[in-house]
Amino acid sequence: QSALTQPASVSGSPGQSITISCTGTSSDVGSYNLVSWYQQHPGKAPKLMIYEVTKRPSGVSNRFSGSKSGNTASLTISGLQAEDEADYYCCSHAGSSTFVVFGGGTKLTVL
Amino acid sequence: EVQLVESGGGLVQPGGSLRLSCAASGFTFSTYSMHWVRQAPGKGLEYVSTIGGNGGSTYYANSVKGRFTISRDNSKSTLYLQMGSLRTEDMALYYCVRGGSSWYYFDSWGQGALVTVSS
């Protein structure tokens, strides 16, 4: 199973909004509303930011939002802050034979 | 507070075996699916394996199927990953992860156990 496709890097200035895309296929992203997003700062464990496409865990800022259209899911971060600079990974259920598949990761730089 | 603490990582030769453990606390262990996710140095996240709360259901990535075995001891709130026939490409930081209510997302992560495969 191939990884989901994410841009290698995105950047934005403080206060701006950015969107990270996550493109899969009709066998994963397109078939299930089971996309999640993780934030990982250098040397730290990943942190759940969005689950089931649009849901935010308790404690995650409402500046983070998720969506999906067809085979592509997206993570939008509004009002960029310096602390948002990190790597972001998407993940999707991909059927019982594969369980889940991750995207390759996107490095967000806050200029 | 949810805590997941991995142990058992280390240096192993290609073809060797290693068992990782993950001690869980702060939640009712038996009611959650548990997972292993790994990250090679400088690389992205890779799914490894899943086990249901009662241990009755298990899933594996194709890359480890037949070589790794996931298990759990609910009486000890501990998750295991028995790794065999290790390859250099298995070298990574292995995270113990708690599954969410739908199994397919990961809501709490340990700090990881480093597995180095080298001769």
Side-chain angles (χ1 to χ4, degrees):
Chain A
Q1 181 76 17
S2 300
L4 305 176
T5 300
Q6 299 181 232
S9 62
V10 298
S11 62
S13 299
Q16 288 186 333
S17 294
I18 64 95
T19 296
I20 299 172
S21 62
C22 170
T23 301
T25 69
S26 57
S27 297
D28 38 63
V29 175
S31 285
Y32 309 97
N33 288 324
L34 293 170
V35 176
S36 53
W37 289 90
Y38 303 86
Q39 175 192 66
Q40 186 179 34
H41 287 109
K44 301 294 187 183
K47 175 187 175 184
L48 177 66
M49 305 302 286
I50 295 288
Y51 66 101
E52 293 173 359
V53 180
T54 61
K55 299 176 182 178
R56 250 188 336 270
S58 173
V60 172
S61 170
N62 59 9
R63 298 185 298 104
F64 291 83
S65 63
S67 63
K68 191 186 86 167
S69 178
N71 296 337
T72 298
S74 299
L75 173 71
T76 298
I77 308 173
S78 59
L80 267 180
Q81 300 179 1
E83 69 212 46
D84 299 333
E85 186 163 292
D87 293 327
Y88 291 84
Y89 295 90
C90 63
C91 180
S92 174
H93 179 43
S96 58
S97 63
T98 305
F99 199 76
V100 298
V101 61
F102 280 96
T106 298
K107 181 176 180 60
L108 169 62
T109 301
V110 180
L111 302 170
Chain B
E1 178 193 5
V2 174
Q3 284 203 319
L4 300 168
V5 180
E6 302 92 340
S7 61
L11 174 63
V12 61
Q13 291 186 338
S17 299
L18 205 61
R19 188 178 82 157
L20 302 182
S21 300
C22 171
S25 61
F27 63 102
T28 305
F29 183 70
S30 62
T31 64
Y32 286 85
S33 64
M34 295 297 296
H35 315 260
W36 291 97
V37 175
R38 69 186 181 184
Q39 187 169 34
K43 301 298 184 181
L45 302 174
E46 181 187 12
Y47 167 75
V48 175
S49 186
T50 289
I51 187 167
N54 63 9
S57 299
T58 58
Y59 301 88
Y60 297 92
N62 288 335
S63 58
V64 307
K65 201 171 293 184
R67 299 187 299 121
F68 291 11
T69 301
I70 191 171
S71 62
R72 64 192 297 160
D73 185 338
N74 286 343
S75 68
K76 296 181 179 179
S77 296
T78 302
L79 175 72
Y80 303 100
L81 184 68
Q82 179 68 48
M83 303 183 292
S85 301
L86 281 162
R87 306 166 180 168
T88 54
E89 54 263 37
D90 295 319
M91 185 161 62
L93 188 64
Y94 283 73
Y95 290 105
C96 168
V97 188
R98 190 181 80 168
S101 58
S102 73
W103 283 46
Y104 305 110
Y105 63 93
F106 310 122
D107 67 4
S108 296
W109 297 63
Q111 288 305 304
L114 184 62
V115 173
T116 302
V117 183
S118 176
S119 54

